[in-house]
Amino acid sequence: MLNELAVALAAFAAVVVATPAARRLALRVGAIDQPDERRVHELPTPRLGGLALFVGVLAGLGVASLLPSADIRAVFAETSEPQAIVLACLVIVALGLLDDIRGISAPAKLAGQVVAAGTLALSGVNLTFVYLPFVNFPRGTVGVLGPDLAAIVTIVVVVAMINAVNLIDGLDGLAAGIVAIAAGALFAYVQLSQAVTDGLPSSSGLVLAAVIGACLAFLIYNFNPASIFMGDTGAMLLGLLLAAAGVSAIGGTIQPSRGAFAAFSIPVLVPALVLAVPFADTVWTILRRLRGGRAVFSPDKKHLHHRLVEIGHSQRRAVLIMYYWSALLAFTGVGVSLLPLSAVAVVLGIGVAAPLVAMVVGRLRRARHRGDGRARRFVSSFTKSDPPDPDSPADLRKRSRDRL
């Protein structure tokens, strides 16, 4: 844990230093988000924060490569994962910078995402195992993918994760915070399931530590009111890193026996669970646009986070609501794979009930306050005294004395 903490701190410090420089660069090259009808911010805001996030991740992995731990040295010496992830990040950052500065078409962006995901797959970062719940139902089974199919499935998963994070980047601090939560949940799984991975070298813990540190540092500048946005550069980078870490953690798993349901089936689903909220929003957005006859990649202001703002929540409150539900789903998914189901059910029940109770109590208090106000106004209408008559004899005598 101390090694991962050092990686996170290095990424945090690098992002704190690099973000102001990225902001100045964005102002110089004109990479600025202008307010319009589909955006919620009101002031022009620079959008090259993803470049600072990339610097932070590189700093974190650079520090990791210098640590004396035998396990970490094995990751860099016995696997090509760190190099593959950095190379894929270079591809996605170049694509994002081009989009943030000049703008590119949706098909070109998708092609670049496939190239970045393919870089991971061809370098050996592959999703080797897939849980098949309807085979040998209800216990299910775990299928082993061949090299070609594993590469295809990995590319699909990585591209889906990239676009899920990109689609939720609509409010100040939303994408960075949810990715930090998702990375924290996956990090907890990786650290607590070493027996599952049988101690095989994996870069997932290091990558997740760097992502957590970088995201937390970026929130200093990106939480509402944001002074800089991460842009497509940052959103696609974070999606790629989260997918790569999840694939690395699962790809290093020893092939399970059919009876090890909890230990191996749920971990396969963890990457989807930790981003369940943005994935659900992504699917709903695609269906909504197809039904309306619009292009899938056409922007709008009908995402879940936009609707939270529309119904009266401030940007900060809407973001915190999204944080809460993402954390509840993410850590529940991890807990199912590592804890007794009874304990997970209790925690999940409390997590769901708490905000509902708070909402009901808040509405009752507001209703009582409104009722008390109406009652006070009703009573005062009968008890308040009439205003004095300016032409009464007493007032006339008083004005006469005043004149004298």
Side-chain angles (χ1 to χ4, degrees), residues 372-390:
D372 290 348
R374 286 194 294 266
R376 285 193 296 268
R377 288 193 297 271
F378 178 76
V379 172
S380 65
S381 65
F382 292 95
T383 59
K384 65 182 181 180
S385 58
D386 294 331
D389 184 3

Side-chain angles (χ1 to χ4, degrees), residues 32-42 47 99-100 104 109 166-167 169-171 229 232 289 294 297-303 305-306 310:
I32 300 174
D33 255 350
Q34 300 293 340
D36 58 28
E37 66 279 358
R38 70 177 181 87
R39 292 183 171 90
V40 297
H41 64 280
E42 299 177 353
R47 59 168 180 255
D99 189 35
D100 285 335
I104 57 176
K109 188 187 299 185
N166 200 18
L167 282 174
D169 185 27
L171 296 177
F229 295 153
D232 280 2
R289 291 172 181 173
R294 301 177 57 199
F297 293 98
S298 61
D300 58 32
K301 290 179 66 175
K302 295 184 179 180
H303 291 293
H305 47 272
H306 290 138
E310 287 175 2

Side-chain angles (χ1 to χ4, degrees), residues 139-224:
R139 295 165 63 187
T141 188
V142 175
V144 183
L145 302 177
D148 295 337
L149 185 57
I152 294 173
V153 172
T154 300
I155 291 172
V156 171
V157 168
V158 173
V159 170
M161 193 77 80
I162 288 172
N163 285 287
V165 176
N166 200 18
L167 282 174
I168 63 168
D169 185 27
L171 296 177
D172 295 353
L174 182 59
I178 286 185
V179 170
I181 291 168
L186 272 174
F187 183 80
Y189 166 72
V190 169
Q191 293 299 311
L192 296 174
S193 63
Q194 291 300 316
V196 174
T197 59
D198 199 32
L200 294 177
S202 171
S203 62
S204 56
L206 301 175
V207 172
L208 291 169
V211 169
I212 293 170
C215 287
L216 292 179
F218 190 67
L219 283 173
I220 297 174
Y221 304 95
N222 187 235
F223 200 70
N224 184 264

Side-chain angles (χ1 to χ4, degrees), residues 110-362:
L110 181 60
Q113 293 170 357
V114 171
V115 170
T119 302
L120 283 176
L122 293 176
S123 302
V125 184
N126 282 314
L127 190 62
T128 308
F129 302 101
V130 174
Y131 175 66
L132 305 172
F134 298 108
V135 178
N136 193 26
F137 186 82
R139 295 165 63 187
T141 188
V142 175
V144 183
L145 302 177
D148 295 337
L149 185 57
I152 294 173
V153 172
T154 300
I155 291 172
V156 171
V157 168
V158 173
V159 170
M161 193 77 80
I162 288 172
N163 285 287
V165 176
N166 200 18
L167 282 174
I168 63 168
D169 185 27
L171 296 177
D172 295 353
L174 182 59
I178 286 185
V179 170
I181 291 168
L186 272 174
F187 183 80
Y189 166 72
V190 169
Q191 293 299 311
L192 296 174
S193 63
Q194 291 300 316
V196 174
T197 59
D198 199 32
L200 294 177
S202 171
S203 62
S204 56
L206 301 175
V207 172
L208 291 169
V211 169
I212 293 170
C215 287
L216 292 179
F218 190 67
L219 283 173
I220 297 174
Y221 304 95
N222 187 235
F223 200 70
N224 184 264
S227 61
I228 187 171
F229 295 153
M230 66 174 64
D232 280 2
T233 305
M236 293 193 297
L237 173 67
L238 293 179
L240 174 74
L241 288 168
L242 199 59
V247 169
S248 173
I250 296 167
T253 302
I254 299 298
Q255 183 176 357
S257 63
R258 291 186 301 172
F261 173 81
F264 294 100
S265 61
I266 299 300
V268 173
L269 301 176
V270 165
L273 288 171
V274 295
L275 282 179
V277 172
F279 266 129
D281 188 41
T282 300
V283 172
W284 172 246
T285 298
I286 292 173
L287 293 176
R288 186 184 68 245
R289 291 172 181 173
L290 290 175
R291 186 177 60 184
R294 301 177 57 199
V296 170
F297 293 98
S298 61
D300 58 32
K301 290 179 66 175
K302 295 184 179 180
H303 291 293
L304 177 59
H305 47 272
H306 290 138
R307 294 186 181 276
L308 286 172
V309 174
E310 287 175 2
I311 64 176
H313 293 293
S314 66
Q315 275 205 54
R316 288 192 175 192
R317 182 176 295 179
V319 167
L320 292 175
I321 290 172
M322 295 286 285
Y323 284 177
Y324 180 84
W325 290 111
S326 296
L328 184 63
L329 290 171
F331 285 95
T332 297
V334 172
V336 168
S337 65
L338 301 172
L339 300 174
L341 291 179
S342 58
V344 175
V346 170
V347 174
L348 180 60
I350 294 173
V352 172
L356 297 179
V357 172
M359 180 179 66
V360 171
V361 171

